Amino acid sequence: MSLSILSALSEDLLVRVYEFLDPPCRKTWRLVSKEFHRVDSLSRTSITILRVEFLPVLLSKYPNLTSLDLSVCPKLDDDVVSRLALDDTVSTSRLKSLNLSRATAVRARGLETLARLCHALERVDVSHCWGFGDREAAGISVAAGLRELKMDKCLSLSDVGLARIVLGCSNLNKISLKWCMEISDLGIDLLCKKCKDLTSLDVSYLKITNDSIRSIALLPKLEVLDMVSCPLIDDDGLQYLENGSPSLQEIDVTRCDRVTLSSLVSIIRGHPDLQHLKASHCVSEVSVSFLQNIKALKHLKTLWIDGARVSDSSLLTLTSSCRALTDIGVSRCVDVSDIGMMGLARNCSNLKALNLACCGFVTDAAISAVAQSCLNLESLQLESCHLITEKGLQSLGCYSKRLQELDLTDCDGVNNRGLEYISKCSNLRRLKLGLCANISDKGVFHIGSKCSKLLELDLYRCAGFGDDGLAALSRGCKSLNRLIISYCGELTDTGIEQIRQLEHLSHLELRGLKNITGAGLAAIARGCKKLVYLDLKLCENIDDSGFWALAYFSRNLRQINLCNCSVSDTALCMLMSNLSRVQDVDLVHLNRVTVEGFEFALRACCNRLKKLKLLAPLRFLLSSELLEVLHARGCRIRWD
C-alpha cells in the first residue's frame, strides 16, 4: 500500500477497521506502517505484561489502557511499583481494571502506591496472594472509587482488613471473599452495613454462621450470592433470605451440609424471579413441597441438584413446570433413568448444559432423546455412565451440531465407532476421553480428521492410544491449547515429536510416559513456544538434553512438575535460571540432584517463585538465608 493511499484514510476510519480485527491480526496490523502502529497504540485498551522491565515502556506506549494484567509478571514487587510512580512518562489515569492475582511480592506499600496512582480504578483482583493481610487491605482502601474486588484465598485477611476496605470503598458492588478463612460474622456484618449497593457477594468456604446470612438479607440490591461449602450455615440462616435480599436472582449453596430442602423452599417462596438455583450435594432427596413451590419459578434457567435422590416422576414434574431451564445438574442422582430423561428432553427443548455424571441407569435411549429434542445443547457431562454405547453417540453426532463440550471419562461403552460418530460434532471445543479402555488410534484418527476446532482433549490412561493417534491429532487439531496424555504407555518419541506441530499448545500433561526421552521433549520445546504448564512427573527416561532444550526454548513456562525425573544439578540450574516466567515448581524425588544443586537452582529463581514443592528433609539442609528470601518474596513452600 502506497503512502498516498494511507494518507487518504482518516484516523477514525482506521480505528473502525482495527476494531474488526482479532488479536493475532492486530499484532500483524501494527507492523505494516507507522500510521497503523499509531492506531494500535491509541486504540488498545487492555494488556497483559509478562516481564516487569517492559512495564514503564508499555504503559507510556499505550496511553488509553483501561485494563492491566500483572498476574503473570513474576518479578513484580513494591520497589518496581515505587519506580513506576516516579516515572513522569507513565500515564495510568485511565486504568479501571487491575489484575494482581498471585502477585505475592506486592505488599502494603506497593498496593497503596498503585491505588493512588490509578485514580479511575474500579476493579482489582488480588486473589491467591497468600501474604495479603490487613496492612495490604489498608493500602487497597485508598481506591475510593472501587466497584469490584476479588480477594479469593487471601488467607491472612481478617475482619480488621475487611473493615478498612469497606470504610474506604463504600461504593463496592461486587466482592469475593472465597477461602478468606479469617473473616467472621463481624466482618460480614460491617460489609453489609456499609456497602448497601452490593449486587454480588461470594462467601464460599468461610466459617460464618447464620448471623452473617441475617446481615446479607438486608442488602437491597444483592443479585448473586455464592456460599459454597459453608459448614456452619443451616436452615435457620437461610430462612432470613425468604423476606430479605429482594433483588436476588442467583444463589449457590452447593455442599452446605446443614442446609435442607425446607430452607430452599423458603428461598423459592420469597424470590419468584430467581433464575439460578445451585444446590448440589446438600439435599438428600427432592420433596413434594419442593416440587410444588418450584412451579412458581417461571424464569428459572439453572438448577443443580446433583447428589439428591430424584425419581423419574419428580424429574418429570420439575421439568414440566420449569420449561425455561437451560442448565440442569443431576450428576450422582442414582434414581434418574431413561424415563425421567426422556421427559426432561421433551419439556426443556432449550437446554444448553446437562450434567449426568455417574447416573448409572441412563442408557442410549435417554441420550438419543436429549440429542433429538435439545438441538441447542452445548455441554454434556456423561462421566462414568457405563451403559452409554456407540448408539447414543450416533444420535449426538447426527443431531447435536452445536455441542462444544463432551465428557465421556470412564465410559466403558465408548469405542472407536463411537468416536467416529462424535467426530461429526464439528464444533467440539472440549472432549474428555480419560479411562476409556476400548478406544485406540483408529477412533482417535476420526477426531483428528474432523474436529479441527478442538481446544482441549483429555486422553488420560487410554491404554490403546499410541503414536499414530497422536500424529493424527497433531495434524488435524491445530488449535489445541490443552492436551492430557498422561499414562498412555504406548507413546514413544515417534509420537511425542509430532506435538511440535501444535503451536498454540499452552497446557501439556505427559505424566508417567516412561518411553519418551530427551529427544521427544526437545522436539516439543522447539515447536510449542506458548507452553505455560508442563507435567513431566515420572518421565524417568528424559535425560539432560531434553531439559536443556526446555530451558532454551520454553521461555513462557510458568508451572512445571519435575517430580521423579532424571534431571541433574546442572540441568536443573539451567532450567530455573532460564525459565524467567516460572512461578510454580514441583521438585520432589529428584535423585540425581544434590543439596547444592537445589540451593543453586532455587537461588537462580527465588525472586519470581510463588509456589514450590520440596521433600521435607530439605527444610533442614537448605540455607536459612535462601528460605527467608523465598518467604519474603511471597513464595509458599509445600514440604512433602
Side-chain angles (χ1 to χ4, degrees):
M1 186 178 290
S2 67
L3 288 176
S4 58
I5 296 176
L6 282 175
S7 61
L9 299 177
S10 68
E11 190 173 277
D12 289 342
L13 183 58
L14 289 174
V15 168
R16 292 185 63 182
V17 173
Y18 178 89
E19 290 172 350
F20 283 99
L21 302 177
D22 56 24
C25 291
R26 289 181 179 183
K27 186 175 181 180
T28 305
W29 159 286
R30 61 176 176 261
L31 300 176
V32 172
S33 69
K34 291 182 179 180
E35 286 83 358
F36 283 16
H37 189 276
R38 172 174 167 75
V39 168
D40 175 71
S41 297
L42 294 176
S43 303
R44 188 159 188 165
T45 58
S46 64
I47 192 171
T48 299
I49 294 179
L50 304 178
R51 296 177 61 177
V52 71
E53 55 266 34
F54 295 144
L55 181 57
V57 175
L58 291 172
L59 289 179
S60 301
K61 181 179 179 181
Y62 299 108
N64 294 320
L65 286 177
T66 59
S67 178
L68 177 62
D69 187 347
L70 298 172
S71 62
V72 291
C73 198
K75 294 183 180 180
L76 185 70
D77 59 19
D78 289 351
D79 292 335
V80 171
V81 174
S82 297
R83 290 195 296 271
L84 195 67
L86 297 174
D87 192 336
D88 295 333
T89 65
V90 172
S91 174
T92 56
S93 59
R94 295 173 182 258
L95 275 180
K96 294 182 178 181
S97 177
L98 183 60
N99 188 349
L100 294 169
S101 175
R102 292 183 170 82
T104 53
V106 179
R107 298 299 177 91
R109 177 166 58 92
L111 288 169
E112 182 175 350
T113 301
L114 283 170
R116 295 187 185 281
L117 202 58
C118 306
H119 308 295
L121 205 57
E122 296 180 358
R123 293 178 296 276
V124 173
D125 184 352
V126 289
S127 299
H128 302 282
C129 293
W130 68 273
F132 186 99
D134 296 340
R135 292 181 65 243
E136 286 70 27
I140 286 287
S141 69
V142 175
L146 214 56
R147 298 290 186 273
E148 300 177 21
L149 181 56
K150 191 172 182 180
M151 297 188 289
D152 296 353
K153 230 167 188 178
C154 290
L155 302 178
S156 300
L157 179 68
S158 73
D159 292 334
V160 175
L162 183 58
R164 295 294 297 268
I165 288 173
V166 300
L167 292 174
C169 312
S170 57
N171 294 320
L172 279 172
N173 53 44
K174 291 184 179 181
I175 187 168
S176 179
L177 298 167
K178 186 187 301 182
W179 283 111
C180 295
M181 304 303 291
E182 297 299 318
I183 299 297
S184 70
D185 293 336
L186 185 64
I188 298 299
D189 182 57
L190 183 60
L191 171 68
C192 296
K193 286 178 178 178
K194 295 296 182 180
C195 300
K196 292 292 187 180
D197 292 331
L198 275 179
T199 60
S200 177
L201 174 61
D202 192 339
V203 291
S204 298
Y205 304 99
L206 301 192
K207 294 180 180 179
I208 53 175
T209 70
N210 294 337
D211 290 340
S212 286
I213 306 302
R214 179 167 53 192
S215 301
I216 291 170
L218 299 176
L219 293 170
K221 299 180 181 180
L222 189 67
E223 298 176 359
V224 179
L225 175 58
D226 291 317
M227 41 184 292
V228 175
S229 195
C230 289
L232 303 181
I233 303 297
D234 58 23
D235 290 344
D236 292 337
L238 289 189
Q239 295 287 345
Y240 293 119
L241 292 175
E242 180 175 359
N243 298 312
S245 299
S247 302
L248 195 65
Q249 296 182 16
E250 178 177 344
I251 185 168
D252 189 348
V253 292
T254 295
R255 297 190 185 279
C256 288
D257 297 333
R258 298 188 182 185
V259 170
T260 69
L261 277 177
S262 64
S263 58
L264 294 182
V265 169
S266 67
I267 292 174
I268 292 171
R269 284 199 300 259
H271 299 87
D273 293 326
L274 198 68
Q275 296 184 23
H276 306 279
L277 176 58
K278 301 175 183 179
S280 300
H281 306 292
C282 71
V283 295
S284 56
E285 63 180 316
V286 173
S287 66
V288 174
S289 175
F290 180 80
L291 292 173
Q292 290 174 342
N293 282 276
I294 204 169
K295 293 179 181 179
L297 301 183
K298 300 301 182 183
H299 306 293
L300 191 66
K301 297 178 180 178
T302 301
L303 178 62
W304 293 358
I305 48 175
D306 307 88
R309 298 189 69 88
V310 185
S311 66
D312 288 329
S313 59
S314 296
L315 193 57
L316 287 169
T317 302
L318 194 155
T319 54
S320 63
S321 303
C322 305
R323 294 177 178 268
L325 281 170
T326 59
D327 185 349
I328 300 178
V330 288
S331 69
R332 300 184 184 275
C333 293
V334 293
D335 293 336
V336 170
S337 70
D338 290 348
I339 296 173
M341 291 311 303
M342 289 177 180
L344 182 150
R346 288 194 303 271
N347 295 327
C348 301
S349 58
N350 293 320
L351 201 64
K352 292 184 177 181
L354 175 61
N355 188 347
L356 290 172
C358 302
C359 290
F361 295 113
V362 171
T363 72
D364 293 329
I367 301 305
S368 296
V370 170
Q372 293 177 39
S373 299
C374 306
L375 300 180
N376 293 320
L377 193 67
E378 296 177 358
S379 175
L380 180 59
Q381 314 289 322
L382 296 174
E383 179 183 353
S384 298
C385 290
H386 298 299
L387 300 182
I388 304 299
T389 70
E390 61 188 62
K391 293 181 180 179
L393 301 182
Q394 183 177 18
S395 295
L396 288 176
C398 289
Y399 299 103
S400 300
K401 299 302 181 182
R402 297 186 180 182
L403 195 64
Q404 296 184 25
E405 180 177 4
L406 179 60
D407 187 350
L408 296 171
T409 302
D410 193 29
C411 288
D412 297 337
V414 175
N415 56 20
N416 291 333
R417 180 59 64 86
L419 293 190
E420 182 179 358
Y421 293 137
I422 291 172
S423 68
K424 296 178 182 179
C425 301
S426 56
N427 285 310
L428 267 181
R429 301 295 197 276
R430 289 169 291 279
L431 178 60
K432 293 185 177 182
L433 299 170
L435 299 169
C436 289
N438 297 315
I439 65 173
S440 66
D441 290 344
K442 182 179 178 181
V444 174
F445 177 82
H446 295 293
I447 301 297
S449 60
K450 295 181 181 178
C451 298
S452 59
K453 297 180 182 178
L454 204 61
L455 300 177
E456 301 179 12
L457 179 61
D458 184 351
L459 291 163
Y460 177 82
R461 288 191 186 274
C462 290
F465 173 67
D467 292 340
D468 292 340
L470 187 52
L473 289 173
S474 300
R475 287 193 304 269
C477 303
K478 297 289 189 181
S479 298
L480 270 178
N481 58 43
R482 182 184 179 94
L483 178 62
I484 300 174
I485 49 178
S486 296
Y487 300 106
C488 294
E490 296 298 314
L491 289 172
T492 69
D493 284 344
T494 303
I496 291 296
E497 289 175 0
Q498 299 302 314
I499 295 178
R500 66 178 182 270
Q501 302 179 59
L502 303 176
E503 297 179 355
H504 299 288
L505 199 64
S506 62
H507 182 111
L508 179 60
E509 297 186 28
L510 303 175
R511 181 178 296 200
L513 301 188
K514 299 184 183 298
N515 294 326
I516 65 172
T517 68
L521 182 58
I524 292 173
R526 291 188 184 95
C528 305
K529 302 291 181 61
K530 295 183 180 180
L531 267 184
V532 172
Y533 176 95
L534 181 61
D535 187 348
L536 296 173
K537 183 177 181 179
L538 292 168
C539 293
E540 299 170 350
N541 289 315
I542 296 177
D543 58 22
D544 282 357
S545 65
F547 296 117
W548 281 90
L550 202 63
Y552 187 79
F553 294 106
S554 300
R555 300 299 181 90
N556 286 311
L557 268 177
R558 295 176 208 155
Q559 186 172 352
I560 185 169
N561 188 342
L562 296 174
C563 296
N564 299 91
C565 284
S566 298
V567 63
S568 69
D569 283 356
T570 306
L572 183 61
C573 288
M574 180 59 70
L575 271 174
M576 296 299 98
S577 177
N578 276 27
L579 299 180
S580 58
R581 296 171 192 168
V582 74
Q583 300 182 38
D584 189 337
V585 186
D586 286 5
L587 301 175
V588 174
H589 297 300
L590 303 185
N591 295 329
R592 294 182 61 203
V593 179
T594 65
V595 175
E596 290 75 15
F598 279 113
E599 184 83 22
F600 283 119
L602 294 177
R603 284 185 180 277
C605 61
C606 62
N607 62 343
R608 55 179 182 270
L609 284 185
K610 311 297 183 189
K611 292 177 68 176
L612 176 63
K613 184 178 179 181
L614 296 169
L615 280 178
L618 285 172
R619 182 200 296 258
F620 309 103
L621 299 174
L622 294 173
S623 69
S624 58
E625 177 196 354
L626 172 62
L627 297 179
E628 288 172 4
V629 170
L630 287 168
H631 180 76
R633 296 289 302 183
C635 178
R636 293 192 68 191
I637 304 178
R638 176 183 169 186
W639 302 102
D640 195 56

